[in-house]
């Protein structure tokens, strides 16, 4: 598993309606990484964690992104305000709000989200890879002022269970 954030796209599996993404609810167990090394590519079995946290993210059904994704310096599509962190009991995201300021949703290949914590400090989340067949995804989260200036004490990685479409929408209505 390469934790480095990249913009390259892999071939995406087909979706039911390629023009519209479904509602997606990602219920995750993510661990705090204690040995991340940005100078080498680490596989999941090389990472160590000092705790795990519950984390739930809702990605609403939106029009699918067509064409190449925007670079980090380019404007991203407008953020759908329904996109949000639903459950973060340990407040590991550090975000003052559950909303995001920038989202590049290239589901099912990857989803990149960021939100301002304070000043130039951002919470950055990457959902990749997504395994539609098994209903799982990997989530990586970190705090950074830019991709080269990050806080290694705030690196998290884990696995999410994915519920889509009507089931995701209904799960959002149920009390926790």
């Amino acid at each position: 598993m390469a934790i480095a954030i990249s913009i390259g796209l892999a071939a995406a599996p087909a979706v039911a309606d390629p023009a519209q993404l479904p509602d997606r609810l990602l219920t995750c167990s993510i661990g705090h990484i204690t040995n991340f090394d940005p100078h080498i590519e680490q596989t999941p079995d090389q990472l160590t964690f000092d705790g795990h946290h519950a984390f739930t993210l809702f990605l609403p059904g939106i029009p699918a992104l067509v064409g190449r994704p925007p670079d980090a310096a380019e404007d991203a599509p407008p953020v759908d305000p329904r996109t949000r962190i639903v459950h973060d009991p340990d407040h590991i995201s550090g975000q003052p709000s559950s909303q995001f300021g920038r989202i590049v949703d290239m589901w099912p290949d990857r989803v990149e989200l960021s939100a301002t914590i304070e000043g130039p400090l951002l919470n950055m989340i990457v959902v990749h890879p997504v395994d539609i067949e098994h209903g799982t995804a990997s989530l990586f989260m970190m705090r950074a002022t830019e991709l080269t200036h990050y806080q290694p004490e705030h690196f998290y990685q884990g696995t999410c269970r994915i519920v889509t479409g009507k089931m995701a929408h209904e799960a959002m209505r149920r009390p926790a």
Side-chain angles (χ1 to χ4, degrees):
M1 173 184 93
I3 294 183
I5 297 174
S6 65
I7 302 297
L9 295 175
V15 294
D17 178 0
Q20 183 73 26
L21 299 175
D23 285 342
R24 294 140 298 160
L25 184 67
L26 286 72
T27 305
C28 313
S29 174
I30 59 177
H32 176 245
I33 302 170
T34 59
N35 69 329
F36 178 76
D37 184 343
H39 304 297
I40 61 171
E41 186 172 324
Q42 292 170 286
T43 61
D45 62 327
Q46 293 172 318
L47 298 174
T48 57
F49 303 90
D50 68 357
H52 284 79
H53 308 272
F55 189 82
T56 305
L57 183 65
F58 180 71
L59 304 170
I62 60 170
L65 183 64
V66 178
R68 72 167 184 79
D71 290 329
E74 295 176 324
D75 289 337
V79 173
D80 185 313
R82 297 174 297 161
T83 305
R84 68 186 175 280
I85 296 171
V86 176
H87 188 65
D88 182 10
D90 299 328
H91 199 59
I92 58 174
S93 72
Q95 295 178 207
S97 163
S98 64
Q99 304 293 310
F100 292 91
R102 178 181 168 90
I103 301 169
V104 179
D105 190 339
M106 299 169 286
W107 189 270
D109 179 52
R110 68 190 295 116
V111 180
E112 301 170 0
L113 309 100
S114 65
T116 300
I117 294 175
E118 181 179 4
L121 184 61
L122 300 173
N123 182 45
M124 302 173 72
I125 297 174
V126 176
V127 178
H128 175 79
V130 176
D131 184 340
I132 298 291
E133 184 177 333
H134 293 100
T136 60
S138 180
L139 183 142
F140 176 74
M141 180 167 53
M142 70 176 194
R143 294 183 191 175
T145 53
E146 55 187 70
L147 291 180
T148 58
H149 295 88
Y150 52 85
Q151 295 181 343
E153 65 273 15
H154 293 286
F155 279 28
Y156 297 89
Q157 192 272 332
T159 301
C160 306
R161 188 186 65 212
I162 305 166
V163 178
T164 61
K166 186 176 180 179
M167 292 184 346
H169 188 74
E170 291 302 317
M172 289 292 295
R173 292 179 177 216
R174 287 187 293 240

